[in-house]
Amino acid sequence: MLLEKKVCVITGAASARGIGKATARMFAAHGAHVVILDLDAGQAETAAAELGAGHLGIACNVTDRAACQKAADTTLERLGSIDVLVNNAGITQPLKLMEVGPENYDAVTDVNLRGTLYMSQAVVPQMRAQGSGSIVCMSSVSAQRGGGIFGGPHYSAAKAGVLGLQKAMARELGADNIRVNSVTPGLIQTDITGGKLTPELKVEIAKGIPLGRLGVADDIANACLFLASDLSAYITGAVIDVNGGMLIH
């Protein structure tokens, strides 16, 4: 198993059809002790319990630096280490440029970008003490192509910011043997997109994807597993596109 006895923290991982939950299942199947962070304590605990024994669910608002630190401290108290962090928590809003107000910008950038910074800051001291760690950041194809199908320009900006932050962290933390990489999903069928994708729209979107289908959460979970494990031991500062060829560059 690729993550035997590794302690892996995943933010925003309680949603039933989300990328975080799929990644949690994948990591647990490969021997990890998974820590699910989400806004609601009950949902986080339930999601962790569904994985079986040895996993934790902790309430955490990633936009609150103190909450991130508390989640990291609780993880260390209960499990003794933090080997992997997946910065998965994110929100999107389907707004046009002139519809984006201050409250929209703040909400989207706070969760997607500030949350990535705060949670990374919370785990880095332990990873430095251990002399090892892997941080996986969730960006988006919309950061690369200048907009997606459901996310507004403020979402693209936030996810582009994640790429810049990730690369800067990789450069700074390499000497500590902490690897930092990103995944850029294309259009993935999750709870966020589920209510908006009609059968007709799916067919139309798939015409523009060389592999001929929309992605599923496990497609992203597989990439996260690769980046979390020693299979990617000499990879840092990288961006892995998981979009079926929607964007080839």
Side-chain angles (χ1 to χ4, degrees), residues 34-228:
V34 177
V35 181
I36 290 179
L37 305 186
D38 216 292
L39 284 171
D40 184 271
Q43 292 180 4
E45 291 166 3
T46 297
E50 290 172 356
L51 299 176
H55 309 290
L56 293 179
I58 302 173
C60 181
N61 179 349
V62 295
T63 70
D64 182 340
R65 186 171 183 177
C68 292
Q69 190 59 58
K70 182 178 179 181
D73 291 344
T74 300
T75 298
L76 290 173
E77 290 167 8
R78 298 284 299 276
L79 298 175
S81 68
I82 299 175
D83 301 293
V84 175
L85 168 65
V86 179
N87 283 307
N88 170 73
I91 61 170
T92 186
Q93 295 173 341
L95 301 176
K96 300 295 185 182
L97 176 66
M98 300 306 294
E99 298 171 339
V100 178
E103 69 282 1
N104 305 119
Y105 183 87
D106 288 346
V108 168
T109 55
D110 271 2
V111 177
N112 291 288
L113 184 52
R114 189 191 301 268
T116 295
L117 172 65
Y118 283 173
M119 200 63 230
S120 298
Q121 288 177 323
V123 305
V124 162
Q126 177 61 27
M127 289 183 174
R128 277 179 163 157
Q130 296 168 181
S132 65
S134 174
I135 298 174
V136 182
C137 300
M138 199 65 64
S139 183
S140 171
V141 67
S142 68
Q144 300 164 311
R145 66 189 292 270
I149 294 172
F150 298 117
H154 54 328
Y155 177 75
S156 296
K159 289 300 191 182
V162 168
L163 294 181
L165 175 62
Q166 164 250 317
K167 291 180 180 183
M169 289 197 298
R171 193 174 297 279
E172 181 176 339
L173 299 175
D176 299 298
N177 196 33
I178 301 170
R179 300 181 296 105
V180 191
N181 297 288
S182 282
V183 178
T184 47
L187 187 55
I188 309 299
Q189 299 175 83
T190 65
D191 287 331
I192 292 177
T193 59
K196 304 178 183 71
L197 288 170
T198 64
E200 295 77 17
L201 184 56
K202 289 180 182 180
V203 171
E204 193 61 30
I205 293 171
K207 291 178 182 178
I209 300 175
L211 290 185
R213 69 172 177 87
L214 277 64
V216 296
D218 278 352
D219 292 322
I220 310 304
N222 285 329
C224 291
L225 175 64
F226 169 68
L227 291 175

Side-chain angles (χ1 to χ4, degrees), residues 13-26:
S15 180
R17 294 181 62 237
I19 290 170
K21 186 74 171 290
T23 303
R25 287 194 299 267
M26 189 75 68

